[in-house]
Amino acid sequence: MKNTVLTFSVFALMVLGCKDATQVETVNSESNESVFTVAEIEDGTNSNLVVDLADTGIKIQPTMYGIFYEDINFAADGGLYAELIKNRSFEFPLPKMGWEEPHSVRYSLNEGSGFSKITNYVDPQGGNRRYSHTVVHNDETYELFNNGFRGIGVKKDAQYNLSLLLANADGIEQLNVALVDTLGTVLASTEIFPDAKDWKTYEAVFVSNKTEAKARLKITFKGNGTIDMDMISLFPKDTWKGRKNGLRKDLVELLDGLNPGFLRFPGGCIVEGRTLAQRYQWQNTVGPIIERELLINRWNDEFAHKPAPDYFQSFGLGFFEYFLLSEDLGALPVPILGCGMACQFNTGELVPLENLDPYVQEALDLIEFANGDVNTPWGKVRKDMGHPEPFNLKYLGIGNEQWGPEYFQRYEIFAEIIGEKYPEIILVSTPGPFSDGDMFEFGWEQMKKLNVKLADEHYYKSPQWFLDNADRYDSYDRNGPKVFAGEYAAHTPGVEDGPLENNWMAALSEAAFMTGLERNADVVLMTSYAPLMAHAGGWQWAPDLIWFDNLQSYGTTNYQVQKLFANNSGTDLLSITQDGKPLIGEQALYASAVKDTNLNELILKVVNTSNVSRNIKVKIQGGKVQTEGVAVSMAMEDLYAINSFEEPTKVSPQESEIKLDGELLEAEISGQSITIYKIKM
Ligand code: AHR
């Protein structure tokens, strides 16, 4: 069957790095920019490929496929950080946000039900500045609710750790704390008897009698009088690695499935802040949880069409936890720090060069925190938090999406001072959020001059861009800075913003592009899809690798692609060609080949972006392989197919056995497919 060229061209979306209403342009349909071209190929076309087992001398770095983590889309509070109570310590700028008192009366000294008065500590400890001084006039009617993060997700028969800090009970004999569903039916409850004047932690375990995505915490009282309350907290007992008050297990398991070589954190634009005062300051995110200072999340009010006024960073998930997570995942930690420039898509506020010292000091302190001896001030903080061993920090990013001369003036100062004290640390710089253009070129010139080791490139582009750029790195200077493709994702124009963007068209084009990343493993040392996670009820940015709600989570089509590549990354690059040339889209085929010297395995990745099946003959030369192997493949006729909560693995790999005829692998690959062949050598 002969296919016509199908071009989905209307409304190509140009996404320039940090996407907001002003930066998103729809391209006039008259420009006819293609979104994803389905190539004109005869059904059953034969393609003859040649794989050479001889070493190219190019190593696939263990960091080739990693994770980009940013607290966007409620990825931390309300997501990975498993706390279920929002604003548990009354520190939000509106201190009762997340809390409700349906029958409170505040205009009477002793009538009505009662009222929680937000009170400042005389002697605040770090970021813990407030508590609730709750006055109960009528214990039969006063109720205090917490709504959680767009509801509290609880599962039937699962256990939840409740804890409260209480003090100064006067006339209040008992607190009844319950989880209730949307109709008010009790799912679990406990009684707490405050018996101390001083602040004391009271704990209980809830077992929910029902699964409910939008439960609420309800506190009622026995006795009329007053009581002080702080840090009202509820965590699932079953967290990642069973750590008390830890991370959401299903989400970390998805991350673990990616077998990441590195974990980049904490972002993203969140590093820079919309203003310098709102930048991410890692030192405020370590130490006792209760003392960590709350900060507005920069995605709180970033997009007028997606406001999230209740989006703050409690930093329960802070730098210590990120380092620990990296360790758990066997991933190298790659923190990124601000460089004295607020987000240039926002204020672009600059610290004068003369005043840059505190910013550089933050970087030096971080290195000490991660790697320093336990007798150094920051090494001691790490030890006191329970991790005397160093975290093995090797990479550190300076600035996120920065551009222009001001950035390089600042980067140079960081590089000089850090290089002097910690020459072993590899610094990551950036040409900015652009994938080309004069600022991008300028950035590369500067990075070369400054002898930068790793350049963080970002691209959020149409699927067609990814197809067209599978050869992007073929022409990169082999002697210049190496590349960290630190944020990328195909954005499908014309698709409703949200989970539908994580469609097969996007994932397939990313896979085609990724064969190009792999073919250039001498230049591209690190790669990560972005962003990582999104709460289906609270997201700001799509597409995302993982979607979750209060109860469930799933990996998108793009996740399946990342997982496939990362779990088959190999150790050494080989060559795979057609007519002596690399496969970069000629006849809609893309391919890369590696071997894994640990598994003694040849691994081929073949992507067919045409919509017809193809016959490939792969001649394996330069060594011997076994005559049996495995093919792992994903194929979808519908380019708009997605995974979802209802069908979380609709688009996922299928495994089958393959047989070789001596040195020849003959196979039929489906239209719009990704296939990985694994053959023992
Ligand atoms: O991944 C979402 C955002 O995209 C990141 O915060 C930023 O670096 C980029 O603009």
Side-chain angles (χ1 to χ4, degrees), residues 390-464:
F391 277 122
N392 196 20
L393 177 69
K394 288 193 175 136
Y395 298 92
L396 177 61
I398 304 300
N400 174 46
E401 284 183 343
Q402 260 64 61
W403 66 84
E406 296 82 5
Y407 168 59
F408 291 100
Q409 286 160 359
R410 282 159 184 76
Y411 173 83
E412 192 173 2
I413 297 175
F414 274 83
E416 206 177 299
I417 300 175
I418 297 173
E420 186 124 312
K421 188 156 185 201
Y422 298 110
E424 70 283 9
I425 297 290
I426 298 171
L427 294 186
V428 182
S429 180
T430 172
F434 319 104
S435 57
D436 52 24
D438 63 347
M439 270 304 180
F440 173 82
E441 300 297 339
F442 172 78
W444 268 95
E445 251 171 53
Q446 296 300 308
M447 289 192 297
K448 285 182 179 171
K449 262 194 214 148
L450 294 171
N451 200 14
V452 161
K453 296 280 174 300
L454 260 180
D456 178 15
E457 292 198 344
H458 296 179
Y459 19 83
Y460 295 102
K461 297 286 190 177
S462 72
Q464 186 66 44

Side-chain angles (χ1 to χ4, degrees), residues 638-655:
D638 177 8
L639 283 171
Y640 292 93
I642 55 164
N643 288 338
S644 60
F645 290 115
E646 294 72 34
E647 291 181 282
T649 53
K650 177 173 168 179
V651 185
S652 55
Q654 308 297 323
E655 216 173 285

Side-chain angles (χ1 to χ4, degrees), residues 43 167 261 318 348 404 416 476 553:
D43 200 357
E416 206 177 299
Y476 267 49
S553 52

Side-chain angles (χ1 to χ4, degrees), residues 154-155 157-160 162 176-181 184-191 205-210 215-218 234:
V154 286
K155 292 189 180 156
D157 296 333
Q159 295 183 307
Y160 296 87
L162 171 77
N176 298 317
V177 188
L179 276 169
V180 295
D181 68 9
T185 312
V186 174
L187 310 177
S189 67
T190 189
E191 293 164 353
V205 175
F206 279 153
V207 180
S208 179
N209 60 26
K210 186 182 138 191
R216 300 201 295 163
L217 187 84
K218 177 178 175 184
L234 184 73

Side-chain angles (χ1 to χ4, degrees), residues 212-223:
E212 170 63 57
K214 293 203 174 292
R216 300 201 295 163
L217 187 84
K218 177 178 175 184
I219 307 178
T220 53
F221 303 82
K222 193 162 166 204

